[in-house]
Amino acid sequence: MNIKHLILLFNFTCFFVNVAYSQQAKIDVARKKITQYPKQNENWVDAINELAFYYHTVNADSTMLFANKALAIATKLNYKKGIADAYKHIAIAHYVRSEGDTAIKINQLALKLYEDLGEKKGQGAILNNIAIIYHSIGKYEESIQIHQQALQIRLAIGDSFGIGGSYNNIANCYTDKGDYVMSLKNLFNGLMIREQMQDTAAMANSYANIGGVYYLIKRYDDAYINAIKAHDLQLIIGDKEGLIQSLIAIGGVLVDKGQYAKGFRNFTQSLKHAKECGNVNGEIISYINLAEVYSHYLNYDSAMYLYHAALNLAVKSGDLPNEAISNVGLGKSFVLKGSYAKSIPFLEKGFKLAKEIGNRQFEFEATKGLALAYEKIGILPRSLFFYKKSLALKDSIFSEENARKMHEIGFNYMLEKKQNEIILLEKDRSIQQAKSDWNRLLTLALIIIIAVLILFMYYINFYRLEEVKAKELILKQKSEIEIQAAHLEELNLLKNKTFSILSHDLKNPISSLTNVVELMDEEVLSEADFNKLRSSFRSQLKSLNILLDNTLNWAKSQMNGEVKTIKVQVNILQLVIQNFDLFKQFADQKNITLIHDIPQNHNSFIDQNHLDIAIRNIIYNAIKFTHPGGQVMVKSEDANTCINLKIVDTGIGMSSAQISSLFISDTVQGNFGTSGENGAGIGLILSNDFITKNGGKLSVSSEINSGTQFMITLPKGV
């Protein structure tokens, strides 16, 4: 018998959607709290109710006892919230005792009280509990509908703990229905909330459930990875309840890979934890998985013993799905032993239960076994009846499987996109590392250009996917979707503008460099000729480097929105000298004199990197637009509350129209310098933005053919 669907998600046995761990410690704290209040006090009622809740994973009778005490005092005080809480915990105790109908009736009493009080959190908890009961008896559609009501309430009040639990419980329903794509979507929703809360136990529970669903859709490596994540977290916090689930998930993957002995050890360990915690659902599933391993080894007697143990517990707890599984498992074991007459009652019962809960897979398993059993004992009409049933169910399951695979395409595509993004990110890191290798200047320049293009594509795709994911997982409201669309449009405009800049201003220099390389490859250009061009190449590469830095800084500032500043004490003279050293060779090539007149004690309290970028761009522009033989001078003046840093050149100057458009991003357009130097036209925009964000001001005065003066007004240092 193939029990590959037995990685079941059983965390719903714990109410209020949390994993029970370290319960004794919580019980001890609650007991001490009770002693702090008089018995006729509402606070005492709340403390008793809290104690009753903590006991539900340890002893249902204790939960019932303390909840009834709380109910009696709350009724006497006419404390309605205390009454509602007590009803909620009494219902939990009835559920743990497998008294589902009674639990639903008492939950409805609690729900009415919470509604009268306008207590939304309580309403969400009760709806969640009712939905769990419906799930446990195989009424998945009703359970999903009620869970959705609970989720909407919790979203409205921002109950993060409850939201994560609702997503998880909805996913469990979809899993048992066989809709694994919807299950994964809800599980990832829940995991996101739980990660934001840093709720380790709940995160482990989500990982275990995700691993279980991956197992069901035969993505065994992903199943194993997530189950191990859950297992490691549960070991850290000592969560034995959670370990039951992760051990079963790990064991299932190992069995599927043919490692039956290792799988058997995991199932044995899960059974041990389940017995220690009193987790009946965990015991049942562990028994069934152990029985499956024994069946593999043809030890049908041991398998039947374990199926019987699972069946007894399932009947006692009212667990119809596992009762169906156990009956079918027993029936098929008898068939495999050749005891066909003995198999029929179990297979008939399993078929009836599977049909009742709507599990087609087990209907098929049961009908297939019944067809063979009736044939072997000579009741051919009955055999034919079940043979036809099995064929019809097989066709139905095949159709459902195809439909499910079609639904999985979207999920698989999203997963592959994420993996591709990781590959691109690692490639970009290797490119950035290679940037420091000055021995391969030409190759590096070409790689950086490719890296920039990939980086922008990555950022655009990443932000688009993040926005779409956020819309699907969290927002889902009209106003938020409109914000999403506006942001995506802004990113698209940024992409178009960035690509326009790169294609316009990088094409000619790169084409020139590429042509030189090709000439060298064809031995048209000798090494001596290349050495003559080396200084020109160095100048072009420096220009390209500044262009790329400006483009990256500008694009990042546009995408990140608010520019972060890290202000420190900066010596202006030292920063100017560093930039003079940077551009000395460039200035010497044009026979341009670089002069500074800056007192040693002129300091500014500013982001050093931002000021460096601004000074670098303005000095570079001054050299770029100054004719050979000219002069660029940098001087500073103390203006009491600030420092005025002036960069003056004897260059070609600008018209008033050119000045008015210098700092407007919509009019970005590169210009060629006096010696053909290229640029993207964004250096001054970036400089102005950085200076402004640091509390300074950038101004310019110029006349055609009379030079230009840029003045940076800087906050004064200490």
Side-chain angles (χ1 to χ4, degrees):
M1 178 181 177
N2 190 355
I3 312 290
K4 290 193 175 184
H5 56 285
L6 290 181
I7 309 301
L8 301 180
L9 312 175
F10 51 85
N11 69 313
F12 55 80
T13 55
C14 297
F15 271 73
F16 216 65
V17 201
N18 195 10
V19 179
Y21 68 98
S22 303
Q23 289 298 95
Q24 190 58 51
K26 294 182 179 180
I27 289 170
D28 293 341
V29 171
R31 280 185 174 278
K32 289 180 182 178
K33 190 182 294 185
I34 292 171
T35 62
Q36 299 173 8
Y37 308 111
K39 287 188 177 181
Q40 303 302 317
N41 188 290
E42 291 182 357
N43 290 327
W44 183 88
V45 173
D46 291 339
I48 287 287
N49 270 320
E50 184 179 350
L51 180 62
F53 175 73
Y54 289 145
Y55 263 113
H56 86 269
T57 59
V58 178
N59 188 310
D61 292 336
S62 296
T63 295
M64 185 74 75
L65 173 66
F66 288 114
N68 275 309
K69 281 187 178 181
L71 178 62
I73 301 300
T75 302
K76 185 177 179 181
L77 296 173
N78 195 28
Y79 177 32
K80 291 186 177 180
K81 183 181 181 300
I83 296 171
D85 289 343
Y87 278 142
K88 178 177 69 175
H89 301 137
I90 291 169
I92 290 174
H94 280 294
Y95 171 76
V96 174
R97 290 174 171 180
S98 302
E99 299 164 356
D101 291 339
T102 304
I104 289 176
K105 291 177 182 177
I106 296 173
N107 271 319
Q108 288 170 341
L109 292 175
L111 181 61
K112 179 65 168 60
L113 284 171
Y114 284 131
E115 288 174 345
D116 292 343
L117 292 168
E119 220 285 318
K120 296 291 186 182
K121 190 170 183 178
Q123 293 174 44
I126 294 298
L127 288 169
N128 175 76
N129 294 352
I130 293 172
I132 287 171
I133 297 170
Y134 279 118
H135 183 178
S136 69
I137 59 177
K139 295 184 177 181
Y140 305 129
E141 290 297 339
E142 293 91 333
S143 180
I144 290 171
Q145 184 179 0
I146 298 171
H147 273 311
Q148 290 286 2
Q149 294 176 25
L151 175 60
Q152 293 307 313
I153 290 173
R154 288 166 166 178
L155 285 169
I157 63 175
D159 177 11
S160 297
F161 184 83
I163 293 167
S166 288
Y167 277 129
N168 211 55
N169 283 344
I170 292 168
N172 292 343
C173 293
Y174 278 118
T175 298
D176 286 347
K177 279 187 65 182
D179 189 343
Y180 303 124
V181 175
M182 284 300 296
S183 176
L184 281 170
K185 284 186 177 180
N186 281 279
L187 283 171
F188 282 124
N189 281 346
L191 178 60
M192 178 179 292
I193 297 295
R194 289 169 167 183
E195 285 181 336
Q196 290 172 354
M197 295 172 59
Q198 288 299 296
D199 187 337
T200 305
M203 287 164 56
N205 177 251
S206 290
Y207 281 127
N209 286 345
I210 290 168
V213 177
Y214 272 131
Y215 179 84
L216 294 170
I217 62 175
K218 302 178 182 179
R219 297 182 70 132
Y220 301 124
D221 290 338
D222 290 325
Y224 189 78
I225 289 168
N226 282 277
I228 290 295
K229 285 182 181 178
H231 182 266
D232 291 346
L233 289 174
Q234 289 154 351
L235 279 177
I236 291 171
I237 61 177
D239 178 11
K240 287 189 177 181
E241 288 274 353
L243 282 170
I244 301 166
Q245 190 178 13
S246 59
L247 284 167
I248 290 174
I250 294 168
V253 175
L254 292 171
V255 166
D256 189 81
K257 290 183 174 182
Q259 300 177 32
Y260 287 92
K262 290 183 178 179
F264 186 88
R265 287 196 291 271
N266 277 272
F267 297 143
T268 302
Q269 194 68 20
S270 69
L271 179 61
K272 177 185 175 184
H273 288 315
K275 287 183 175 180
E276 289 174 354
C277 299
N279 188 316
V280 177
N281 191 245
E283 284 189 65
I284 295 170
I285 297 171
S286 298
Y287 279 135
I288 294 172
N289 278 286
L290 286 167
E292 172 63 14
V293 176
Y294 275 121
S295 293
H296 169 76
Y297 288 117
L298 308 182
N299 188 344
Y300 302 121
D301 289 332
S302 295
M304 286 191 289
Y305 173 81
L306 292 166
Y307 278 131
H308 268 297
L311 179 59
N312 291 335
L313 287 174
V315 171
K316 185 178 178 181
S317 62
D319 185 346
L320 295 183
N322 282 323
E323 186 180 347
I325 293 170
S326 301
N327 273 294
V328 174
L330 275 166
K332 295 206 73 176
S333 296
F334 275 117
V335 168
L336 291 169
K337 280 193 68 176
S339 302
Y340 301 110
K342 290 182 179 180
S343 74
I344 289 174
F346 293 106
L347 290 171
E348 290 273 16
K349 182 66 174 178
F351 171 68
K352 179 182 177 183
L353 290 172
K355 190 172 182 180
E356 183 178 338
I357 64 175
N359 191 313
R360 291 180 178 273
Q361 181 62 40
F362 278 106
E363 282 188 73
F364 171 69
E365 294 282 349
T367 53
K368 190 169 63 170
L370 284 165
L372 178 60
Y374 277 118
E375 179 187 352
K376 292 295 184 180
I377 64 174
I379 306 178
L380 298 182
R382 196 69 175 156
S383 174
L384 180 61
F385 170 79
F386 282 111
Y387 178 71
K388 290 179 178 179
K389 279 276 188 185
S390 69
L391 287 178
L393 286 166
K394 185 176 182 180
D395 289 341
S396 175
I397 292 169
F398 180 76
S399 298
E400 289 177 357
E401 179 70 12
N402 285 340
R404 180 182 63 77
K405 288 180 179 178
M406 290 299 294
H407 285 299
E408 288 175 18
I409 291 174
F411 171 78
N412 291 336
Y413 174 74
M414 290 172 62
L415 186 63
E416 289 169 7
K417 288 286 286 183
K418 184 177 181 181
Q419 291 170 340
N420 287 337
E421 288 168 12
I422 294 171
I423 293 171
L424 289 176
L425 183 59
E426 291 178 351
K427 182 177 180 181
D428 178 60
R429 287 173 183 167
S430 66
I431 291 172
Q432 293 301 322
Q433 181 66 32
K435 188 176 180 181
S436 62
D437 186 3
W438 288 97
N439 293 325
R440 302 176 67 185
L441 291 176
L442 187 58
T443 303
L444 181 60
L446 296 173
I447 292 175
I448 289 174
I449 293 166
I450 296 171
V452 170
L453 294 174
I454 293 174
L455 183 62
F456 285 124
M457 292 175 66
Y458 165 77
Y459 273 123
I460 292 162
N461 287 331
F462 176 82
Y463 274 85
R464 183 180 289 114
L465 287 173
E466 282 299 298
E467 293 293 338
V468 171
K469 185 192 296 183
K471 178 183 68 176
E472 290 178 350
L473 301 180
I474 302 172
L475 304 180
K476 296 183 181 178
Q477 294 182 3
K478 182 178 179 181
S479 60
E480 292 169 329
I481 293 173
E482 290 173 351
I483 293 172
Q484 163 82 2
H487 186 53
L488 288 174
E489 180 63 24
E490 181 182 340
L491 287 176
N492 195 45
L493 291 173
L494 173 62
K495 177 199 70 174
N496 293 338
K497 185 181 295 182
T498 304
F499 284 172
S500 175
I501 290 169
L502 291 174
S503 63
H504 178 270
D505 294 303
L506 297 181
K507 183 177 180 181
N508 289 338
I510 297 306
S511 295
S512 176
L513 292 172
T514 302
N515 289 336
V516 170
V517 173
E518 290 176 351
L519 289 172
M520 290 185 68
D521 289 342
E522 295 170 3
E523 298 183 355
V524 174
L525 190 66
S526 67
E527 185 175 349
D529 294 329
F530 177 77
N531 288 333
K532 293 177 182 179
L533 297 173
R534 186 185 298 275
S535 60
S536 174
F537 284 168
R538 186 176 291 109
S539 175
Q540 289 188 54
L541 287 171
K542 187 170 292 183
S543 175
L544 281 174
N545 191 49
I546 291 173
L547 171 60
L548 288 171
D549 283 345
N550 284 337
T551 305
L552 282 169
N553 282 313
W554 176 69
K556 287 180 180 178
S557 69
Q558 295 294 308
M559 284 190 286
N560 292 338
E562 186 67 26
V563 175
K564 293 182 180 179
T565 59
I566 303 174
K567 295 184 178 181
V568 295
Q569 188 85 346
V570 178
N571 183 266
I572 298 172
L573 175 60
Q574 183 179 355
L575 208 57
V576 170
I577 290 173
Q578 288 176 4
N579 279 282
F580 271 16
D581 290 342
L582 176 66
F583 294 118
K584 184 178 184 306
Q585 189 176 21
F586 181 29
D588 289 347
Q589 288 175 353
K590 297 182 71 172
N591 194 26
I592 292 173
T593 304
L594 301 178
I595 305 172
H596 65 75
D597 181 13
I598 302 172
Q600 177 67 40
N601 64 346
H602 278 191
N603 299 314
S604 177
F605 190 66
I606 195 169
D607 187 303
Q608 181 167 339
N609 187 47
H610 292 173
L611 180 58
D612 186 29
I613 289 171
I615 292 174
R616 185 196 318 154
N617 275 291
I618 296 172
I619 292 176
Y620 175 72
N621 276 358
I623 299 171
K624 173 180 172 181
F625 293 110
T626 297
H627 289 293
Q631 173 183 294
V632 175
M633 180 173 187
V634 183
K635 58 185 177 180
S636 64
E637 300 172 352
D638 190 331
N640 295 326
T641 60
C642 60
I643 298 291
N644 289 329
L645 180 65
K646 298 179 180 179
I647 301 172
V648 185
D649 65 58
T650 59
I652 61 176
M654 291 180 285
S655 67
S656 58
Q658 288 175 307
I659 293 173
S660 64
S661 65
L662 278 180
F663 308 129
I664 301 174
S665 61
D666 291 341
T667 60
V668 170
Q669 183 175 355
N671 294 312
F672 290 97
T674 56
S675 297
E677 301 94 339
N678 197 8
I682 61 174
L684 292 178
I685 294 174
L686 187 65
S687 301
N688 183 58
D689 187 40
F690 282 171
I691 293 299
T692 302
K693 295 296 183 183
N694 280 272
K697 181 182 178 182
L698 179 59
S699 57
V700 58
S701 59
S702 180
E703 292 183 11
I704 297 293
N705 297 324
S706 296
T708 300
Q709 173 183 289
F710 281 87
M711 185 171 75
I712 307 174
T713 301
L714 300 170
K716 205 169 185 180
V718 179

